[in-house]
Amino acid sequence: MDLRSKIREVPDFPTPGIGFKDIMPLLADAEALQEAIDLMAEWAEPRRPEVVVGGEARGFFLGAALAYRLRCGFVPARRPGKLPLETISREYALEYGSNALELQADALAGDTRVLIHDDVLATGGTARAMADLVEQLGGVVVGFTFLIELAFLNGREQLPGYDALALIKY
Ligand code: AMP
């Protein structure tokens, strides 16, 4: 199955010069959705994750599906102000703009094995922030899965020593 054909490229969104990779056609296609989840789960399974952490918002869709398939819990990394109790926070630079993500301070027990998922690896700031948050809570990052890697932005350089799978590379 050609998963790449299910990604819609939208030029100049959300700002001029950005080639936005729209994953919604892939999510809407039953076969592509299943294949994407299966491929990521098969890669992640031997790494024995206990929890999947997904980044707001597009990392929630397949992150939660992966957690179900891997019999893991799911923990969302959320935008500031969305989580109700004590949180830890990391700010980072984006391909377009800057942002921050937060985890609830009691989201992970120490030594929990964590798989981190997001839709796109671009400059790597988001993924790195999620790894830092997980490790601040004593979690162990066992790998990253992405649907898409924008390899020309060298995001993997932000993830030295970590294993990362991307199903589609540009
Ligand atoms: P980065 O922190 O630069 O690796 O950016 C990754 C995050 O930004 C992911 O959560 C993506 O959802 C989003 N993102 C960055 N660039 C793109 C793009 N070209 N198309 C779609 N999403 C993107």
Side-chain angles (χ1 to χ4, degrees):
M1 160 126 232
D2 180 15
L3 293 178
R4 181 183 294 253
S5 69
K6 303 295 176 188
I7 303 299
R8 185 159 48 190
E9 295 192 49
V10 184
D12 300 318
F13 181 86
T15 54
I18 297 297
F20 186 76
K21 303 289 187 275
D22 182 16
I23 67 166
M24 300 306 158
L26 185 151
L27 297 183
D29 183 301
E31 236 183 290
L33 178 64
Q34 186 165 23
E35 169 131 340
I37 295 164
D38 285 348
L39 288 172
M40 289 191 283
E42 282 157 21
W43 180 88
E45 207 154 25
R47 292 168 169 83
R48 296 181 292 109
E50 299 165 289
V51 163
V52 178
V53 168
E56 183 158 352
R58 289 184 298 272
F60 292 171
F61 304 129
L62 296 189
L66 263 175
Y68 177 80
R69 163 73 212 261
L70 291 165
R71 296 178 182 272
C72 288
F74 179 75
V75 169
R78 298 221 57 186
R79 296 287 173 224
K82 299 285 186 184
L83 294 167
L85 295 168
E86 190 192 338
T87 55
I88 60 167
S89 183
R90 272 285 193 288
E91 237 185 76
Y92 58 95
L94 263 186
E95 190 187 3
Y96 40 85
S98 82
N99 220 324
L101 283 173
E102 299 187 338
L103 287 183
Q104 201 85 70
D106 63 356
L108 298 172
D111 294 333
T112 302
R113 298 174 65 82
V114 176
L115 176 73
I116 295 176
H117 171 77
D118 207 357
D119 63 333
V120 175
L121 174 65
T123 64
T126 308
R128 181 66 209 213
M130 288 195 279
D132 289 345
L133 288 167
V134 165
E135 288 171 359
Q136 189 178 336
L137 294 183
V140 177
V141 177
V142 300
F144 293 82
T145 62
F146 305 96
L147 265 183
I148 295 168
E149 176 180 359
L150 305 180
F152 56 91
L153 292 174
N154 301 316
R156 278 185 197 247
E157 287 176 7
Q158 300 291 324
L159 310 174
Y162 295 100
D163 281 345
L165 171 75
L167 297 184
I168 305 161
K169 288 180 194 169
Y170 291 87

